[in-house]
Amino acid sequence: MFILVCPGAADPTVQTYVEKAREFKLPVQEVVIPWGLAQDEDIYTQLKNGIRYIDLRCVYMSDSNDWFTMHFVVGNRITTILNQIAQFMREHPKEIVVVEASIERANAPSVDIKKRLANNVLSILGTWLESRNNGFRTINDMIQRNK
């Protein structure tokens, strides 16, 4: 057994809410920020600043027919977040980033829609994913195999 400690982000995308509130001239400080702000930088910047764990809360929005982040309010498209993680991993192949994705219960997407989310993750981050089915791997093993 081992313990891996790394800096993390509970909700990496609230900066989008702040930008939208400003666009619509809503009182950001009084309304939006207290509801959902955990971070004020995008994922790529957070990774550059040392974050290595991302709690990605996913919600399917049928009106947009796409997956988004969710932390009280809807944030960025999941593919935007995944692409920022991929960009960081291409630039820093010896880094390890842990992404925990969960589906929020705000709606009940079909199995096919859930598979779309999984396929997005695999198509964008597949190069770096480490399967749980491979058994125990050391961090050095993962770095050597670019996982």
Side-chain angles (χ1 to χ4, degrees):
M1 184 173 108
F2 72 96
I3 296 173
L4 175 65
V5 179
C6 56
D11 181 50
T13 61
V14 178
Q15 96 283 348
T16 299
Y17 317 141
V18 173
E19 291 166 6
K20 289 294 181 190
R22 288 184 179 132
E23 179 182 332
F24 293 107
K25 299 189 180 5
L26 296 174
V28 174
Q29 294 296 331
E30 295 82 15
V31 178
V32 178
I33 291 177
W35 287 349
L37 183 61
Q39 307 296 329
D40 61 358
E41 296 171 328
D42 66 15
I43 285 291
Y44 179 78
T45 302
Q46 290 179 59
L47 289 167
K48 293 284 284 183
N49 289 337
I51 295 300
R52 295 296 179 268
Y53 171 83
I54 300 167
D55 178 7
L56 195 56
R57 301 170 193 183
C58 308
V59 64
Y60 177 75
M61 302 301 294
S62 58
D63 57 337
S64 300
N65 192 30
D66 207 354
W67 287 92
F68 292 81
T69 59
M70 175 69 133
H71 190 245
F72 297 110
V73 290
V74 176
N76 287 319
R77 290 180 190 277
I78 294 297
T79 53
T80 300
I81 303 302
L82 297 175
N83 282 316
Q84 289 179 12
I85 296 167
Q87 176 186 357
F88 177 82
M89 294 306 296
R90 281 189 298 276
E91 294 171 4
H92 305 280
K94 294 191 183 279
E95 291 291 337
I96 293 176
V97 176
V98 177
V99 180
E100 181 178 356
S102 61
I103 295 175
E104 293 294 310
R105 296 183 194 173
N107 57 13
S110 69
V111 171
D112 287 340
I113 292 172
K114 290 177 186 176
K115 284 181 182 177
R116 267 189 24 214
L117 175 62
N119 288 337
N120 282 338
V121 172
L122 289 172
S123 69
I124 296 171
L125 297 180
T127 300
W128 303 283
L129 294 179
E130 178 63 56
S131 173
R132 293 173 135 183
N133 297 330
N134 290 340
F136 177 77
R137 300 281 187 194
T138 67
I139 291 174
N140 191 48
D141 289 339
M142 289 186 281
I143 291 170
Q144 294 300 317
R145 291 179 18 258
N146 197 27
K147 293 289 182 183

